[in-house]
Amino acid sequence: MTLKLFAKEQWLTTLEGLKESYKIFVPVRDGDFHTFMPLDEGKKPDFDYPNTRLSPKSLIYPQSERIFEYSLDESAPDAHILKETEKDYSPRAIVGIRPCDAHAFKIVELNFDSPEYKDPWWVQRYESTVLIGLGCNDPVSTCFCTSVGGGPFDEDGLDVILYDLGESYLAKGLTDKGEDFLAKAKGRTKADDASIKRAEELAKSASDKISVNVPVDRLKDKVINELFAASFWEEVAFSCINCGTCTYLCPTCWCFDIQDEVIGKEGDRIKNWDSCMFPLFTLHGSGHNPRDNKFQRVRQRFMHKLKYYVDKYDNGVQCSGCGRCVRYCPVNIDIREVCKLMNSYRSD
Amino acid sequence: MVTYTDEIRKTAKKLLEDKTVDVFIGYKKGTVPMMNEPVLVSDADKADTLYWDSFCGLNLCNYLTKRTDRIGILATGCNSRNIVTHIIENQIKRDQLYIVGIPCTGMIDHRAVLRAVKEREILEVTENGDSFTVKGNDFNETFDKKEYLQANCKTCTHRNPVEYDEVIGTPFEEQEVSEAYRDVEKIKGMASDKKWDFFTQMISNCIRCYACRNACPLCYCPTCFVDESGPQWVGKSIDPTDTMTFHILRAYHCAGRCTDCGACERACPVGIPVRQFTRKLNKDVFDLFKWEAGLSLDERPPLDVYRPDDYNDFIR
Ligand code: SF4
Ligand code: SF4
Ligand code: SF4
Ligand code: SF4
């Protein structure tokens, strides 16, 4: 475990220097909110940010990704044969990612990289990416990472964690990938004891700033069918407009749909984000829809995150507490409240 | 605002108690600042959860579609016009409704407030008549509500409900608005390629979450054209062509029906000003037919009537 210091005024130069080895993504302000962009797109990085509006999941798992190509030209020798679309898996670094969003990749890894099934595109991109986290000195009021197994300086899923000490960053290498990144970074100096102490204090005071406690401890003991049949779902779902905001902004929502698109005789097979909130998500070819009602779709989202995932993987909930859905749901459906209902539900 | 809340609670309680309605649709106070949640109250004892302030931006008319019970519902000017539109489009029956009208002083634009406090974390917003106070960890600032209204509320000339069974508060004189369509005129003045660039840029952040469509009371089709899968009209990726198709077609479907309630724009998680599409159509419908949606139960909307004196030759 290496501890290094980087002066903030040198930080951009350091990152520029790393461009030889990595494609670097940094938080950039774009209009009213922040988003991750490649360092070379001429926009100034802004590391003094609460979090990005959309989670960085799209950097590993793009909203639309071409996976295969094919030709429908009967005269071509490879007509109708699916060929994998060429991809760039050269090393990338996401610099400034928040701990909850890194934790989120660990949560979805269980789904995309399991012993039985692997999503080769997700796996390769995840493996070729190094995550340089930035601890949160000032968590905001919707953050509840500490309730779901994370924390503002949680290291799980990160390769390096940065402590913002005001004038400098203290960088702590956490994995071989991370150590490698730090070894390549110019302008580093050895961390002195005072800085290390300061970093520890920051982490402590950040955790203390999160006063929200969302209870998840009893979800595991609930009987699935009882929760499924709970009396509160219609009420929880009333205001929902079944949009894709919560699932598309969420770093831990992973559902996708496969579509073929053809122009002339050339076709692409595309993997697109999908959402359990959309009626089309479960529409059968027959016309039957097992989740025809809004409350069924709302129930699915919460049951998946807070019960099915919990039971299937024994790895906590499928939520990293980033608070995006809480903040941006247009009708204020609050997962923290729903979680409380589920955690305390008694069928009698 | 506090007075509205009290009045709303009292009215809803009475309506539920004397069984004038089976359910009452209003808002309850949100769990995050500048956000309230639409709520359905069916028990008179729960009427006290109802709440009102200048962050009731989601159009309640959405929750009426095809309901079969008797419903009490709050309605500001624009919401009441959407309810009228719902009735003339057979999505709900007038006699199922007990409309509680609210003369509306406008909704506050939460994005503008965030900008005003330089995007610092807002912990609480309290209203006091014409002003409101925003509190954070290390700041406390008071603003003039008028300056921070949603764009659609700034130009609204129907703040009083147009159709109701009872009004809370006192209806007031409508505001005079000059150059209500300045934004539309500005785009109209652009050369075609500039217009295209403008709209392309405007929707470039769109993630196709459809919050704008789903927040709109007009978008009640059982299957939206973008969700049609046999045949599939619109691609599902974020290809700009598909995204633009969605926006332009949706806007056309709202022609002569949109009340400029602003729900679509408010709901968008990435702040796309989608009303730029519908407003042009609102203006055209007004210029061509002197029509504003939802003002009367007795008149059919211009796009679903035949008139021998239509200004177009081809239809005569
Ligand atoms: S919970 Fe909120 S964000 Fe999610 S689908 Fe419903 S309205 Fe949209
Ligand atoms: S469910 Fe909500 S709070 Fe949890 S990870 Fe997803 S967006 Fe964040
Ligand atoms: S298009 Fe937008 S402004 Fe017009 S009625 Fe629908 S939600 Fe309201
Ligand atoms: S709400 Fe915004 S992001 Fe979602 S589909 Fe509409 S314009 Fe696009």
Side-chain angles (χ1 to χ4, degrees), chain A residues 32 53 63 141 239 242 244 334, chain B residues 31 63 115 121 209 214 269:
Chain A
D32 272 351
R53 178 70 53 95
Q63 180 163 5
S141 61
S239 64
N242 271 167
D334 189 330
Chain B
T31 60
Y63 302 101
R115 271 177 234 131
E121 166 85 341
C209 69
N214 294 11

Side-chain angles (χ1 to χ4, degrees), chain B residues 9-268:
Chain B
R9 289 176 182 170
K10 257 188 257 157
T11 308
K13 199 175 170 69
K14 182 179 102 312
L15 292 172
L16 288 164
E17 264 167 5
D18 66 20
K19 306 231 178 324
T20 310
V21 300
D22 303 316
V23 293
F24 191 91
I25 299 179
Y27 300 88
K28 68 176 182 189
K29 189 163 172 47
T31 60
V32 291
M34 305 196 284
M35 197 54 173
N36 294 317
E37 180 178 354
V39 65
L40 179 93
V41 180
S42 40
D43 182 349
D45 292 340
K46 298 242 172 83
D48 282 351
T49 52
L50 290 162
Y51 182 75
W52 183 268
D53 66 14
S54 300
F55 298 100
C56 296
L58 202 104
N59 196 323
L60 293 182
C61 179
N62 275 296
Y63 302 101
L64 291 179
T65 312
K66 301 283 185 214
R67 282 194 81 97
T68 50
D69 44 1
R70 289 168 310 148
I71 310 145
I73 185 166
L74 293 180
T76 58
C78 57
N79 282 214
S80 74
R81 293 169 59 200
N82 280 104
I83 294 173
V84 167
T85 305
H86 243 51
I87 297 166
I88 58 182
E89 293 180 359
N90 302 319
Q91 295 309 305
I92 195 82
K93 291 199 189 72
R94 178 66 184 93
D95 59 17
Q96 274 175 273
L97 300 177
Y98 189 95
I99 305 172
V100 178
I102 302 223
C104 173
T105 52
M107 294 297 150
I108 298 174
D109 178 352
H110 60 294
R111 298 189 185 99
V113 178
L114 266 167
R115 271 177 234 131
V117 299
K118 304 199 176 55
E119 313 278 334
R120 282 171 297 175
E121 166 85 341
I122 294 174
L123 297 177
E124 196 190 334
V125 176
T126 41
E127 282 186 70
N128 192 352
D130 293 337
S131 67
F132 61 98
T133 302
V134 184
K135 280 193 202 113
N137 270 327
D138 48 4
F139 64 94
N140 187 333
E141 292 179 34
T142 299
F143 300 96
D144 188 359
K145 172 169 156 178
K146 224 171 53 243
E147 306 294 316
Y148 288 88
L149 290 181
Q150 288 183 187
N152 63 309
C153 301
K154 280 189 180 152
T155 56
C156 173
T157 52
H158 298 286
R159 297 178 148 197
N160 294 302
V162 298
E163 176 73 27
Y164 51 82
D165 296 284
E166 171 177 340
V167 179
I168 280 177
T170 333
F172 37 67
E173 213 172 304
E174 296 292 350
Q175 55 180 1
E176 290 282 335
V177 178
S178 63
E179 297 188 348
Y181 285 107
R182 206 180 320 158
D183 51 343
V184 178
E185 294 292 352
K186 200 171 141 210
I187 301 169
K188 194 176 158 200
M190 297 176 186
S192 302
D193 54 337
K194 286 277 168 321
K195 262 184 214 149
W196 187 251
D197 291 349
F198 172 84
F199 285 117
T200 307
Q201 181 57 35
M202 189 182 104
I203 60 159
S204 60
N205 276 336
C206 176
I207 53 170
R208 296 277 291 279
C209 69
Y210 301 135
C212 51
R213 175 196 68 185
N214 294 11
C216 176
L218 306 175
C219 287
Y220 54 67
C221 290
T223 307
C224 177
F225 69 95
V226 295
D227 292 334
E228 201 66 72
S229 51
Q232 182 171 306
W233 305 110
V234 188
K236 299 253 176 275
S237 73
I238 42 168
D239 187 290
T241 310
D242 293 318
T243 305
M244 188 64 96
T245 306
F246 158 61
H247 281 291
I248 293 181
L249 249 72
R250 187 187 95 81
Y252 272 99
H253 288 179
C254 299
R257 307 166 63 220
C258 169
T259 62
D260 206 24
C261 71
C264 47
E265 206 161 283
R266 181 174 223 285
C268 176

Side-chain angles (χ1 to χ4, degrees), chain A residues 116-153:
Chain A
E116 302 102 319
Y117 303 105
K118 293 199 193 306
D119 178 322
W121 305 287
W122 190 93
V123 171
Q124 287 175 83
R125 205 169 275 106
Y126 185 55
E127 279 172 358
S128 59
T129 306
V130 48
L131 300 179
I132 313 300
L134 176 61
C136 309
N137 290 359
D138 296 298
V140 294
S141 61
T142 42
C143 296
F144 59 103
C145 50
T146 44
S147 298
V148 291
F153 284 83

